[in-house]
Each structure stands twice: as structure tokens, then as C-alpha cells.
Amino acid sequence: MAVVSSPSSTTPDTAGGVAAYGSPAPPPEEQLPKGTTLVGTLMVLVADAMVLVALLAVWWTIKGGAPAWPPRGVFVGTYLPSTVTITAVMSAFSMAWAVSAIRRNDQRSGAVALVLTVFLGLAIANAQWYTLFRTDFGINDHAYGTLLFLLIGYHLIHQLMAIVAVVLLGARALAGQFGRKGYDPLRAAAALWQYTVVAWFMILTAVFLFSPHG
Amino acid sequence: MALTDTSEEIVPAPSPPEEPSPPAPSLGSGAAGNDHKAVGAGFLGLALAFLLAGGVLALVMRAHLVDPDGELLNARQYRQLFTFHGSILVFLFLLPAWTGLATAMVPLQIGAARLAFPRLQALALWLTVVGGGLMVAAPFVDGGRRVVSGWTLNYPIPAGGVFRGDGVEYLLLGVAIVLGAAVLSAANLVTTIAQLRAPGLTSRRIPLFTWSVLVSSAVMLLALPVLMAGLLMMFVDHHYGTRLFNGLTSSRGGNPLLWPRLFWFGAYPMLWALVLPALGVVCEIVAVFAGRPLVDRKRAMGAMGAIGVLAFAGFGSEVRNLADARPLFAIGALLVLAPVAGLFLNWLLTLRKAGKEEGTETVRQRLSGLPMLFVLGLLTVLAAGLGASVVSALGATTRFHTNYWAVGQQHLMYFAPATIAIVAAVHYWAPKLWGRHLSTGMGKLELLLLVGGAHLAFLPALVLGIQDMTIHTTDYSADQEFQLANWAMSAGSAVFALGAVLFALNLLVSVAMKRGRPADQDPWGGHTLEWFAPSPPPRHNFDVLPEVRSDTPVLDLRQGATP
């Protein structure tokens, strides 16, 4: 192994000063570059979406081979999913409103929008829970029921996680920790929130729009 | 990140201020804090322990098969070992080993002080421990006798029956948790590479190991969740008595063809994601020991990216019952090999060009460095793996996916190159991470045992494939002419295992017991930023960063102001 002179063995050039050999390394506890929390959250959400894609792929495959889908006598109804859809769309707008208000340092509008968002989210979670609660079949009665429970359960869990994230980061926002300079964690929570809306539309398409259910 | 275009000369870097370096993070100290080097070492220690465990299982299986009508194990025990051998080595050795190396090295390579989310990485480590614990517990709990599927984890609930006991549930949950940890760490690594690169380190200048980690992590982010969803559904089938993976009761049931498709959609790209960092390590070591950048660095990056994309195109080649689509998947499985071959050519041309530039003698002398010797050995295994994979992918006969040809192909293409690359990478980066060289003498012995063992163990598997010994065979009779190749496989796996044990001992003695030769800041004449940090690096990695004007900032510094 030929030994080549390593950087440490070269003579320091004091005349060059710091500028000559580049920037001083950032201290470790320095704030992350702008957008890092958001990028990380988006990466996890991409992976998360693949779980939903897999569940939906299974849904379409089993549906394709089933003699009747949903099985005869199974009734879910359209009232609750319609309610969830409308509420989800409203919550997407109120979440976007909250983020833009906090960015403008408008704490008062931010507070209204955040409370509204959390309220709408709780309404969605309640409706989903009720959908599962009032079905007249169980998770193990047929594949349709299993997948319905899994898909709505997937959405419900994400909705609850999003509510927790928005409550925690909303509180930090209202305490004045975010503003024009940095509101990255709040944007990350908002990304999770908007993902629950997207996920709901994917589930809605498969489960309710493309599967007539009386 | 924009490169600041200053006209001033690159001035040789002054040595970073001398300061007492903190104690090096030791193996297994992942719990110590949020230092990415310690967490990475924790992952590596865990992986190494499971390499030895999975190896012991393999040895027991090979001892059983060394003679016809072996009586060491009954069929059930053999299948159980078979299952845990595969699951442990893939999910608890290869996966955490690469996660560990990436966790430790990526921030250093890109000139960052930390990971984007250090606590997330520590969480991933602990999740791996929990998932691994569940997997290891699976054969010992109630119903553990039924965990016999092989690593494809196909456990449909029998029609009209139930699957008794918790063993399968433990295994499914354990694997899902380990995969979840891998997804979190992949997201963390991608974010770190995207956001925390040193000024001037543009995306085209990313070091090739870091690039391979980026591609591998992206593949994992897309592939592993599908496998996790499959495991979740299989778990629900077992826990709640649903029937998604059994179509026999058509009014209630699902589709028995689903599981293999879901599994291989996740597992096939995952296998490539576990080979990709090995290719990245080879790129690093070849460039450094040739004393010049790769001849075609851009194409090397492109090739690794192409492997990441094409890995998804070939998944169906492993799925039976996909008859109509088989030709398409065969093309995918074949295409993914092309960029690997391209990289191979790139490495060889780099060595040739270095020989022309500096004289064959100088380069030959440099190539005797231990990490480079590992790489040369690895290339012989990879060449065999590529050949075996071409035959598998051509799909001349589907037998080669169900007999020992598949064992040989998977071990020569995925397991052995990845394992040898991990050993090479630890030899290469140990001086940086822990400030101590591993023993070179022991290293050479490891190299002989690992490379020789890989050839001796896995080439005869190809012979058994041609003789058509099926993959789950638990016994064979004396008149089947399988004995010679089986004997060679058993001997080879013992040799390979000895190499792994020596490697563990080497780490223990040289690093953990600090007997290794203390290392300079840049013992190999490196090219990338990690070699600018002190050995071992302080907690924040760099006191000062050199100006990055190319993909080889440290090489630039060494060559002075000459462009």
C-alpha cells in the first residue's frame, strides 16, 4: 500500500485563513436546513402509501376473482362515506389555512383554523369508527369484510395520528414557536394531514365508487 | 447546492486542530446516545451476532445433508432450520449490517455532523432488536413446530381448519417490525443525503457508497412496505381467522396466489437493495486503491440507479403461477443484470487505466492492500453469481427456480457478495470509525476462507441444480449421485463459517480490545470527505471542512493546486 501524504501532513497555510479551505463545519446541534423535517416526513409517507397500495392491490385482485363483490346480503351504505368525504375535503382546506396563517404570524386566524381542523378530524374519526361499529358482519366473515376493516382501519389510524400531530405542533405554533422563518414541523404535520385525505380518496374509489354496495 | 466559484487556488488544508479525541464508539454501544457512529456500530454488532447464529443453523443443515439418508434431523426440524436460516440471514444480518454501515459512514462521507433524525435511527436499532427477539422466540413458543415455510413465509390458513399456536404470528410480527425499522432508517438516510451535504457537494459529486445507499434506500421505501402489508394481512388471517390467502372456500376466502406475488414484489427488490451497497463499497475501494476516480463515474451512478429501477421489473420471475407474464419478468430479471455487468467492466477498466498512467508495478503494489484484495476475491464470486443469474433469468427451465440451482444462484449473487463486501467495508472503514486497523494477517486468512468457502459451498449447488435436487429436499438416497456435491457444499459452508468467525474475532481483538494498529487520518489515500475527519472522528465529525470542488475533495487536496 503506497502511502500518500494525507491532508493532516500537509503544511498549514495560515495566510489563506479559514476562507481558503472552505466553510467551517456546522456545529452538530445547529438547526437543520430548511425543509428537512418535511422531506423526512414525505419519505415516510411514500413508504406508508405503499402499504395502502398493497392493501388496495389485494382488494382488486380478490374482487376480480369473487363471484359477488360485496358478497350477497352485505350492506355498508353511502351515507357515512359521503359524510367522511365532505368533512375530509373541508379539513384539507382548514389545514392549509392554518399553515398559511402561521406563516404570516397571524396567530388568531391560525388558532381558529387549527381548532377547526382538529374538530373536523375528530368528526372523521368518529364517522369511521361508527362505520366499522355498525356493520352487520365481522372481520372474519368474508374477505370483503376483512379488507373493509383493514382499509378503514388504516385510514382511522392515520387520522388519529394526524390529529395528535396537529394538536402537538399546533400548540407549539400558537405558543409562537413558528413563523415566517421556520414552520417546518407544522408543515410536516400538515403533510400527514393532507395524506390522510388523499388516502381516503384512494379508499373511497376502490371501496365505494367501484364496488356497488346497495 | 450551488458551488461557489472562487478563483483562488486550493490551498492545502491545515491539519484540524489537535484535540484529545473522545473514546471511539465501541461495538454494541448503540444505546449510548444519538451519535450516528455509535448507532451504526450497534447495528453492525447486532448483524454480526445474527450472521454467526444464521451460520450455525446452516452448518447443522449441511451436517445433516453431508451423507445420504442423514439421521441428524427429522424433516420437520430440517424445515424449521431452513426457515430460520434464511429469515435470520436476510432480515437480521444483511439488512441491519448495511443499515449500520450506512448509518456510520454516510454523514462522514457527505461532510455532515449528524444524521437528519438521530433519535429515529436509535429507535430503528431498538425496533430491530425487538423484531429480532420475536423472530428468535418463534420456534420456542406454542406452535413453533409449524414454522417451516422457508424464508418466503407462506402460511395460508388451511381450508376449514385453523392454524394452532403463536409461532407463526411471532415470526410474521417480528419480520414486520424489522422491516418497519429498515423503512424508518431508509427515510432517515435519504433525508440526510438530500439535506445535509457539505457546501459544494452537489448531487453529482455524492460519493459512490452514499449513492448506492441512496438508491438502495429508495428501493426499500417502495418495496418493503408492500411486504409489510402482506405480513399484516397474513397476521390478521392467523390472529382473527380470516382467509385472505386461501381461496378454497370461495364465498368467504381470498386468493391463494396473492401471497407469492406480494412477497416477491417486496423481497426481490429488497435482495437487490441488499446488493447495491456492496457495489457501492466496491466502487469506493477500487477507486481509492487504483489511485484515481472510476473511469466512468457518471455511468457507475447511472448503473446503480438502473439496478434500483429494474429490480422491480423482475420480481415475477420468482413467482410461480404467473405463466402468462413470465417472459416479461424474465426480461426484467435479465435486464437488471446488465448494469451490474457494466459496473464490473467499469472497475476493470479503472484498474487498467491506473496501470497505464502510473505503471503496472506501482498499481500492482497498491492493489495488495487488504480491502482491495477482498474486492478482487468478491469479483470472482460476483462473476459466478452473474453467470448463474443469467441462466436463472433466461428461464430455460422453471426447474432452476425450485431446485438447488436457486440455492446456488441466490447465494452467489446476493448473500456471498454482500457478506464479503460487508467484511471488506469494515476492514476499509474500521481505521476511520474506531481509529484502529483490523489485523491484516487475520484479514488475509478471512479473505481466503470467505472467498474459497463461497466457491466451494455454492458452486456445487449449481451442480446439484443440474442434477435436479429439489430445494426443500430433507433427505436423499445413496443411488441419486448427490453425495459428492453435497459433501463439497458442507465443507465449503464450514470454511465460510470459519472465515466469519475469524472476522468476528478480528473485530473483537483489534477494535473492542483495542489491540489493533492505531490508524492515521487517511491510511489508504482516500478520495472522499470521511478521510478528512480525524480517526476516530469527534462526535460532531468535522471541525472544519475542505472546499468541495469535485467528487474527490480529499484527493484534490493531496494533489495540491493542480486541477
Side-chain angles (χ1 to χ4, degrees):
Chain A
M1 167 74 220
V3 178
V4 211
S5 68
S6 65
S8 62
S9 60
T10 52
T11 45
D13 185 338
T14 43
V18 171
Y21 53 87
S23 50
E29 306 309 334
E30 194 201 22
Q31 273 208 327
L32 290 170
K34 211 172 170 184
T36 302
T37 314
L38 182 63
V39 172
T41 308
L42 289 177
M43 290 303 136
V44 174
L45 287 180
V46 165
D48 202 349
M50 287 306 289
V51 173
L52 181 58
V53 167
L55 289 173
L56 288 173
V58 169
W59 170 277
W60 290 108
T61 313
I62 294 184
K63 174 178 144 81
W69 195 266
R72 267 179 264 296
V74 168
F75 178 79
V76 183
T78 51
Y79 172 68
L80 282 171
S82 312
T83 316
V84 168
T85 308
I86 295 167
T87 319
V89 171
M90 289 196 294
S91 80
F93 280 105
S94 67
M95 186 72 241
W97 175 26
V99 174
S100 98
I102 297 295
R103 185 178 54 211
R104 285 180 281 107
N105 279 329
D106 181 354
Q107 306 286 329
R108 182 178 298 194
S109 305
V112 174
L114 283 168
V115 170
L116 183 61
T117 307
V118 170
F119 173 75
L120 292 171
L122 288 172
I124 294 170
N126 179 51
Q128 295 291 42
W129 178 255
Y130 193 61
T131 309
L132 294 183
F133 187 72
R134 68 186 274 280
T135 54
D136 48 4
F137 51 84
I139 190 171
N140 58 359
D141 283 341
H142 36 65
Y144 178 89
T146 312
L147 288 170
L148 190 81
F149 272 76
L150 284 178
L151 287 168
I152 294 189
Y154 176 93
H155 185 248
L156 181 58
I157 288 169
H158 282 78
Q159 193 67 57
L160 293 175
M161 290 194 312
I163 290 172
V164 171
V166 167
V167 165
L168 292 178
L169 292 162
R172 282 181 63 188
L174 296 182
Q177 293 190 13
F178 304 133
R180 197 184 303 279
K181 283 265 172 65
Y183 60 116
D184 199 31
L186 184 66
R187 274 206 299 175
L192 173 59
W193 192 280
Q194 307 296 14
Y195 171 67
T196 65
V197 179
V198 173
W200 171 248
F201 270 90
M202 289 165 75
I203 294 166
L204 181 79
T205 308
V207 176
F208 294 100
L209 298 186
F210 279 84
S211 303
H213 46 85
Chain B
M1 264 173 252
L3 169 68
T4 44
D5 187 16
T6 49
S7 55
E8 62 195 324
E9 304 258 86
I10 299 176
V11 178
S15 55
E18 292 289 327
E19 59 175 58
S21 53
S26 61
L27 283 176
S29 67
N34 297 327
D35 185 353
H36 67 92
K37 301 177 284 297
V39 176
F43 268 112
L44 273 174
L46 189 69
L48 195 56
F50 279 114
L51 169 66
L52 299 179
V56 168
L57 300 186
L59 286 184
V60 178
M61 281 156 60
R62 289 316 316 173
H64 170 75
L65 283 176
V66 72
D67 285 322
D69 306 312
E71 288 174 356
L72 187 59
L73 305 165
N74 60 34
R76 198 235 339 133
Q77 289 167 331
Y78 181 85
R79 295 226 164 93
Q80 236 181 334
L81 285 182
F82 181 88
T83 303
F84 284 95
H85 160 74
S87 309
I88 284 179
L89 286 179
V90 173
F91 298 116
L92 294 177
F93 163 58
L94 288 179
L95 207 50
W98 285 129
T99 304
L101 269 170
T103 303
M105 290 318 302
V106 161
L108 283 164
Q109 281 210 312
I110 61 173
R114 50 177 283 190
L115 285 167
F117 311 109
R119 273 173 291 193
L120 187 68
Q121 209 68 356
L123 173 71
L125 174 58
W126 286 114
L127 283 178
T128 309
V129 172
V130 171
L134 280 173
M135 286 171 66
V136 170
F140 303 109
V141 298
D142 182 31
R145 298 163 55 86
R146 297 184 183 81
V147 186
V148 291
S149 64
W151 80 288
T152 55
L153 305 173
N154 193 358
Y155 294 103
I157 303 278
V162 286
F163 208 102
R164 292 232 173 71
D166 302 327
V168 170
E169 291 181 19
Y170 272 60
L171 183 63
L172 298 174
L173 267 190
V175 174
I177 291 172
V178 171
L179 293 179
V183 165
L184 291 180
S185 91
N188 198 355
L189 289 165
V190 171
T191 311
T192 305
I193 298 169
Q195 294 288 106
L196 299 187
R197 297 196 306 274
L201 197 72
T202 58
S203 53
R204 292 193 170 191
R205 294 176 183 167
I206 292 179
L208 289 170
F209 174 68
T210 297
W211 176 255
S212 71
V213 168
L214 183 65
V215 177
S216 160
S217 299
V219 171
M220 287 195 199
L221 282 180
L222 294 174
L224 298 190
V226 175
L227 191 45
M228 288 169 69
L231 289 166
L232 169 76
M233 286 182 269
M234 186 68 93
F235 177 80
V236 168
D237 266 13
H238 279 260
H239 203 75
Y240 298 103
T242 62
R243 294 284 191 281
L244 289 177
F245 295 111
N246 186 327
L248 289 175
T249 51
S250 62
S251 58
R252 294 178 64 212
N255 186 334
L257 305 183
L258 270 173
W259 176 259
R261 293 178 193 178
L262 274 179
F263 177 83
W264 284 112
F265 183 88
Y268 186 83
M270 179 185 73
L271 287 177
W272 282 106
L274 296 176
V275 173
L276 269 165
L279 304 176
V281 166
V282 174
C283 285
E284 294 280 344
I285 293 177
V286 165
V288 165
F289 283 81
R292 69 180 315 287
L294 290 188
V295 283
D296 198 341
R297 193 188 133 84
K298 213 190 282 174
R299 286 223 174 89
M301 289 177 88
M304 286 191 265
I307 293 170
V309 175
L310 291 170
F312 287 92
F315 83 95
S317 61
E318 298 289 344
V319 185
R320 290 180 279 288
N321 303 318
L322 264 180
D324 10 337
R326 186 172 275 287
L328 267 181
F329 285 122
I331 293 171
L334 203 57
L335 278 181
V336 70
L337 301 173
V340 185
L343 281 170
F344 213 105
L345 199 62
N346 207 331
W347 301 326
L348 296 183
L349 287 176
T350 304
L351 295 181
R352 199 176 79 144
K353 192 154 186 189
K356 276 187 180 162
E357 283 168 356
E358 303 186 48
T360 327
E361 208 40 55
T362 325
V363 172
R364 192 171 293 157
Q365 201 185 347
R366 256 203 238 125
L367 294 192
S368 60
L370 185 58
M372 189 64 210
L373 291 180
F374 269 108
V375 163
L376 294 177
L378 186 154
L379 292 188
T380 65
V381 180
L382 192 63
L386 274 172
S389 300
V390 168
V391 175
S392 292
L394 284 174
T397 160
T398 49
R399 280 188 320 163
F400 282 167
H401 290 275
T402 55
N403 68 23
Y404 260 63
W405 188 277
V407 176
Q409 185 259 334
Q410 286 170 4
H411 284 80
L412 286 168
M413 188 68 232
Y414 309 118
F415 172 72
T419 308
I420 296 171
I422 288 164
V423 175
V426 170
H427 274 274
Y428 178 61
W429 278 314
K432 176 55 59 191
L433 277 178
W434 301 298
R436 294 197 179 261
H437 284 273
L438 298 191
S439 153
T440 310
M442 263 170 103
K444 284 183 178 160
L445 202 53
E446 288 160 27
L447 165 69
L448 278 179
L449 294 172
L450 287 174
V451 174
H455 284 298
L456 188 58
F458 306 132
L459 287 176
L462 301 179
V463 176
L464 283 174
I466 294 166
Q467 293 178 327
D468 204 17
M469 174 166 161
T470 43
I471 203 166
H472 290 235
T473 305
T474 53
D475 267 318
Y476 58 94
S477 61
D479 51 352
Q480 281 175 298
E481 299 182 348
F482 293 157
Q483 191 178 3
L484 181 63
N486 267 302
W487 185 88
M489 275 189 82
S490 300
S493 29
V495 172
F496 192 89
L498 200 57
V501 170
L502 262 188
F503 171 60
L505 277 180
N506 198 347
L507 263 179
L508 192 71
V509 173
S510 302
V511 174
M513 291 165 64
K514 300 188 193 272
R515 296 283 180 78
R517 185 160 49 89
D520 297 338
Q521 177 179 349
D522 184 10
W524 314 117
H527 296 177
T528 39
L529 283 178
E530 76 265 34
W531 302 110
F532 193 77
S535 298
R539 192 184 156 84
H540 55 281
N541 290 349
F542 298 92
D543 295 312
V544 64
L545 281 172
E547 192 159 5
V548 180
R549 294 181 173 196
S550 75
D551 48 73
T552 53
V554 175
L555 183 66
D556 295 347
L557 281 177
R558 200 165 42 240
Q559 290 172 344
T562 51

